[in-house]
Amino acid sequence: MAPAPASDVSGAPPSDASEPHPAPDSALPTPDSALPASDPALPASHPASHPAHPAPDSAPPEADTSEATAPGPPEPPAVPPDGTETVSGPPDPPPPGAQEASDGPLGEVRTGVAALSLRYQIGAALALAVVAVAVCVHLGMTFLHVAPANTVSKKHSETIADWIYPEFEQNWKLFAPNPLQQNVSVQVRAEIRTPDGGSRTTGWYDLSAQDGRAIDGNVAPSHTQQNELRRAWDFFVSTHDDDNRPVGMRGALSETYLRRIMAMRLDRVDAAGPDGELARVQVRSRTTDVPPPSWSKEKVSGEPVYRVLPWWTLPEKETRGGIG
């Protein structure tokens, strides 16, 4: 005969073996009657309102997952679309020297002049002030030079001339009512003294054409190539009459100036040769009219006009290109 099934100390019938038992870590309440009566840890009395053991055939109550569920691991941070994972953490320390160029530990970094130290800011301000003063002085000198004669320009004429000439000279002939309509070229020839006591005369050297070839295509031609010969000839013409006789005290000065330029230019081209010496020079100008445009009815002569000066004997120091 089969032994009777063992009963629980509480007297409840055993549950069916096929019925699933709740998990040990479930949130079902454990009845006090299921504990052994002889357990010394059992309290002497329990409140009567303690819930009773659920019926065998009833389903266990669902656990409240809103409070009993243990918190899971934190979700991983979202990865940007480009696949670069950003790592959060404390910001990197600023580079050395950045705190001097900022308003504080958390201030914005300054740029430009504001990023310089006080000493360099003062130096930059002084440099800008010097440049501004120089520009103002130059504009004032140029204005007094080109403006009509007035009290200030007459009183400080020497100072204005020293500032303007020769680098900042202003020439307004292009905008004059009667602009230049002629091409003037200065030419020179020389009489060479030979070692045997004889002499020979060179051909005409077109010095204006030489200067023109040196300037043509040159992005920065020298002031000498542009103005030395032209200004010397204008100086001579303004101090001499049509018969090449000097007018006033500056006539002799203009002759000396033009003669020395001729001697130096002839020496540059070695007109005297290895054994000869320059004895005399003669200067002339060749003037031709600029052809008028095709739509103009103006008629001009195409024949050149020459102005020939007398022969000038060179001093001993100028015979080899000097300026004695």
Side-chain angles (χ1 to χ4, degrees):
M1 186 174 182
S7 61
D8 196 357
V9 291
S10 60
S15 60
D16 191 359
S18 62
E19 183 178 353
H21 295 279
D25 55 350
S26 65
L28 293 178
T30 303
D32 296 340
S33 60
L35 299 176
S38 60
D39 192 350
L42 183 66
S45 62
H46 299 281
S49 61
H50 196 283
H53 193 278
D57 297 335
S58 63
E62 295 182 359
D64 188 3
T65 60
S66 61
E67 295 181 0
T69 305
E75 296 182 359
V79 180
D82 56 358
T84 304
E85 184 176 359
T86 58
V87 179
S88 61
D92 296 335
Q99 191 162 357
E100 289 87 354
S102 62
D103 296 331
L106 299 178
E108 297 181 357
V109 177
R110 295 176 293 181
T111 59
V113 180
L116 301 176
S117 62
L118 179 60
R119 181 178 61 180
Y120 288 101
Q121 289 181 3
I122 295 175
L126 291 177
L128 291 176
V130 171
V131 172
V133 170
V135 171
C136 292
V137 171
H138 177 70
L139 293 178
M141 291 292 188
T142 306
F143 173 77
L144 292 175
H145 174 67
V146 301
N150 54 73
T151 304
V152 178
S153 62
K154 291 179 181 179
K155 183 178 180 180
H156 303 283
S157 59
E158 294 183 2
T159 303
I160 296 173
D162 292 341
W163 181 276
I164 294 297
Y165 294 106
E167 287 81 7
F168 307 117
E169 178 186 3
Q170 304 295 318
N171 187 349
W172 302 103
K173 291 182 179 180
L174 177 62
F175 305 99
N178 186 20
L180 295 178
Q181 299 180 0
Q182 295 175 330
N183 289 324
V184 180
S185 61
V186 180
Q187 302 174 354
V188 63
R189 65 177 178 176
E191 182 180 290
I192 308 301
R193 185 183 302 114
T194 58
D196 57 0
S199 63
R200 61 181 177 87
T201 303
T202 65
W204 290 99
Y205 291 89
D206 195 339
L207 304 182
S208 297
Q210 295 177 6
D211 291 344
R213 288 191 295 268
I215 295 172
D216 189 18
N218 189 351
V219 295
S222 69
H223 186 77
T224 300
Q225 293 171 340
Q226 297 179 77
N227 298 316
E228 182 184 59
L229 184 62
R230 178 182 61 84
R231 294 294 302 275
W233 180 253
D234 291 343
F235 185 26
F236 178 87
V237 172
S238 63
T239 56
H240 287 72
D241 58 16
D242 294 338
D243 296 328
N244 300 323
R245 291 177 298 188
V247 178
M249 300 296 294
R250 294 164 59 88
L253 178 62
S254 64
E255 290 183 7
T256 303
Y257 183 47
L258 185 60
R259 187 188 70 237
R260 289 179 177 178
I261 292 177
M262 297 300 109
M264 289 188 297
R265 296 293 294 267
L266 290 171
D267 183 68
R268 292 176 189 173
V269 297
D270 196 18
D275 300 327
E277 290 183 355
L278 294 175
R280 297 190 305 171
V281 295
Q282 187 178 30
V283 183
R284 75 175 183 181
S285 66
R286 183 178 184 272
T287 305
T288 56
D289 294 327
V290 176
S294 58
W295 48 264
S296 175
K297 298 181 180 180
E298 184 180 359
K299 302 297 182 180
V300 297
S301 174
E303 297 296 327
V305 177
Y306 293 92
R307 179 173 180 174
V308 183
L309 305 186
W311 284 93
W312 290 333
T313 302
L314 299 180
E316 184 179 356
K317 291 184 178 179
E318 295 182 13
T319 57
R320 301 301 300 179
I323 54 174

